[in-house]
Each structure stands twice: as C-alpha cells, then as structure tokens.
Amino acid sequence: MENLIRDIIEFDKKKRLEVEELEKEKKKIGAYLREKRKEIEKRYKAEADEIFAKRKTEIEKTISEAEEKAQDKYKISLKEIEITFNKHRQEWIDSLYDFCTSIEKEGE
C-alpha cells in the first residue's frame, strides 16, 4: 500500500511538472503569436504602402498625360484662332470701318 501511495505521489509530481512545462510552452506560444502578429501586420502594411505608392504613381501619370493632351489641344485651338484671326483680320477691320462710317453718315 505504501508503494502505491508513493507511486501516486511520484505520478502526481511528474504530472504537475509536465503541466508546468505545458504552461511555460503556452506562454511561449502566446509570445510567439504576438510576435508573428506584429510581423504579419508589418508585412501587410508594407504591401499596402507599396500598392498605394504604385497606384498613386499610375494616377499621377494618367493626370500628367491628360494635362499634356489638354495643353496640346489648347495650343492647337489657339493656333486655329490665330490663323482665323489673321486670315479675316483686314476683312473685319474694313467691315467695322464701313459700319462706323455708315452710322456717321446717317447721323449727319
């Protein structure tokens, strides 16, 4: 009977030590998970920043191209207006002069 009690006490002691070891491992797992969580957050943040920077560059490029097209269109329109003005300038001046002189003659 004493042997049985001693075996039970030894078995209990052994199992308590195993439980303590498991508790230590459990704490290590918690720390490990916290560390992994930080790594994962850091990695995803870096990926998100990279995607954001890439998208921002694409948008800026699109805006720049649109600005260039608008500028080119503006220059073409301005050139067309200048050509039209230069082509009809004297005609318009003569027409205005005739109009003004005809009003002056009617007013006399």
Side-chain angles (χ1 to χ4, degrees):
M1 183 78 150
E2 284 182 27
N3 285 338
L4 181 63
I5 293 173
R6 212 177 335 194
D7 288 343
I8 291 173
I9 291 172
E10 284 297 318
F11 182 75
D12 181 57
K13 184 178 177 183
K14 181 180 175 185
K15 291 303 172 184
R16 271 190 275 126
L17 290 174
E18 286 179 11
V19 168
E20 285 178 21
E21 286 296 317
L22 289 172
E23 288 291 330
K24 288 179 185 177
E25 294 232 356
K26 182 180 172 185
K27 288 180 184 177
K28 287 180 185 177
I29 289 173
Y32 174 78
L33 290 176
R34 282 189 294 277
E35 186 62 33
K36 280 297 181 185
R37 179 178 180 216
K38 288 179 185 177
E39 287 177 22
I40 291 169
E41 285 177 353
K42 187 177 179 180
R43 182 176 38 162
Y44 280 115
K45 184 178 181 328
E47 288 177 12
D49 289 344
E50 183 180 329
I51 291 168
F52 174 77
K54 184 178 179 182
R55 185 68 177 134
K56 182 179 176 186
T57 302
E58 290 173 0
I59 290 171
E60 287 174 348
K61 181 181 176 186
T62 303
I63 290 171
S64 177
E65 289 172 355
E67 275 182 347
E68 287 178 19
K69 287 180 183 178
Q71 192 74 335
D72 290 343
K73 187 175 180 180
Y74 167 77
K75 287 177 183 178
I76 290 170
S77 295
L78 183 62
K79 193 67 173 171
E80 288 174 352
I81 290 170
E82 287 176 358
I83 290 170
T84 303
F85 175 77
N86 290 333
K87 183 177 180 182
H88 297 285
R89 180 177 175 260
Q90 192 59 46
E91 177 186 334
W92 292 337
I93 291 173
D94 292 343
S95 176
L96 278 171
Y97 179 78
D98 290 343
F99 178 75
C100 290
T101 56
S102 70
I103 290 177
E104 187 177 290
K105 287 180 184 176
E106 289 176 9
E108 290 179 1

